[in-house]
Amino acid sequence: MGRRPIIAGNWKLNPDSVEQARELADAVAEGDVGEVDVVLIPPAVFIAQVRQAVAGAGVAVGAQNMHPAANGAFTGEVSGSMLRSLGCAYVVCGHSERRGVFGETSEFVGEKVAAALQVGLTPILCCGETRSQRDGGSATAVVAQQLRDGLAALDAEAAARCVLAYEPVWAIGTGLTATPQQAEETHAFIRHWLVERFDRETAETIRIQYGGSVKPHNAAELLAQPNIDGALVGGASLKAESFLAIVGCASRS
Ligand code: PGA
């Protein structure tokens, strides 16, 4: 369908120091990214160094979170324009750890998505159900609600500038990947939802990453699915070798 694969490495609260961040970014920058959009998503304090390390290597940098306001009394937060000024191109919005551990609502996530687009950042909007929601049969309803709220403020043109990430919560950091069939089923559901919410062309343009224990050994099969356009990688992005192996799978998909 001509969607360019996008592989992003979400470093979460890692590594311990700016020196280690620089080392990891240097090692990724030495790899071959081929025809793949590759994004490193370090903790905000390392963004400037990581950006410097990957400059000229065809690797972009993203942030793990942002606040929707441009300025104000929001101690501890960073804004989209601050991230832009560091050379960030992407920002993750509504990761399940932000929703689950930090209590972010879908409406708040939607504000972040809209604010990110306004300053020229590409939001990576995350969605995904918990184990009990899946077992209770409400997985697609949960995902649809997260997308409805996350994309609430957008018209088709704005939505086309977003990346989505489907990350079943039960697969994150657990080693329990969704099977390629399970993942594809939800991705196809999301694509269909986008057709209904916007239009076919917009739906066919938007890239949908899969996330949740993506590793070199399972990436090829996941990325071969017609509606899986990339991966949001946590644990395996902390080693350049495994991250680049996943990038290699995307370049062959
Ligand atoms: P994981 O994390 O690859 O370690 O499961 C994925 C994510 O949370 O984005």
Side-chain angles (χ1 to χ4, degrees):
M1 255 165 244
R3 287 185 294 271
R4 189 177 158 98
I6 175 165
I7 305 293
N10 172 13
W11 294 2
K12 306 192 182 185
L13 193 57
N14 300 287
D16 289 339
S17 69
V18 70
E19 290 78 17
Q20 288 169 1
R22 176 87 209 201
E23 222 171 279
L24 179 51
D26 280 337
V28 171
E30 279 167 24
D32 179 12
V33 300
E35 294 299 302
V36 177
D37 284 346
V38 176
V39 189
L40 295 184
I41 310 182
V45 287
F46 300 150
I47 286 171
Q49 301 281 342
V50 167
R51 162 95 173 137
Q52 210 174 37
V54 300
V59 174
V61 180
Q64 298 174 14
N65 185 29
M66 62 172 269
H67 194 280
N71 300 105
F74 302 106
T75 301
E77 295 293 325
V78 299
S79 74
S81 54
M82 292 172 192
L83 295 172
R84 283 293 284 160
S85 76
L86 292 179
C88 258
Y90 294 84
V91 60
V92 176
C93 298
H95 188 277
S96 71
E97 287 147 21
R98 299 298 320 168
R99 296 175 192 267
V101 184
F102 300 99
E104 288 188 9
T105 64
S106 284
E107 290 80 6
F108 189 47
V109 172
E111 287 180 43
K112 293 178 190 230
V113 169
L117 286 168
Q118 255 163 29
V119 297
L121 288 165
T122 297
I124 300 178
L125 170 62
C126 299
C127 60
E129 82 286 356
T130 62
R131 179 84 258 173
S132 65
Q133 288 165 335
R134 174 163 281 258
D135 292 345
S138 62
T140 51
V142 168
V143 167
Q145 186 63 47
Q146 289 169 339
L147 294 177
R148 199 171 296 126
D149 294 338
L151 302 172
L154 312 190
D155 58 15
E157 181 276 321
R161 290 188 281 131
C162 295
V163 171
L164 303 182
Y166 168 59
E167 299 201 298
V169 178
W170 48 273
I172 296 178
T174 57
L176 292 172
T177 329
T179 64
Q181 292 70 29
Q182 276 175 327
E184 170 60 19
E185 201 180 311
T186 310
H187 280 237
F189 166 81
I190 294 172
R191 187 88 57 204
H192 178 73
W193 185 91
L194 291 169
V195 173
E196 305 270 288
R197 168 69 173 79
F198 300 103
D199 54 68
R200 180 157 302 275
E201 194 191 336
T202 306
E204 295 291 350
T205 303
I206 297 174
R207 291 175 297 178
I208 310 173
Q209 298 178 304
Y210 169 78
S213 300
V214 176
K215 309 289 177 196
H217 73 85
N218 59 26
E221 225 193 322
L222 285 160
L223 293 166
Q225 303 304 313
N227 286 292
I228 300 184
D229 310 312
L232 184 53
V233 184
S237 72
L238 296 175
K239 293 254 181 316
E241 197 189 348
S242 48
F243 184 64
L244 288 168
I246 294 168
V247 171
C249 293
S251 130
R252 290 186 291 274
S253 71

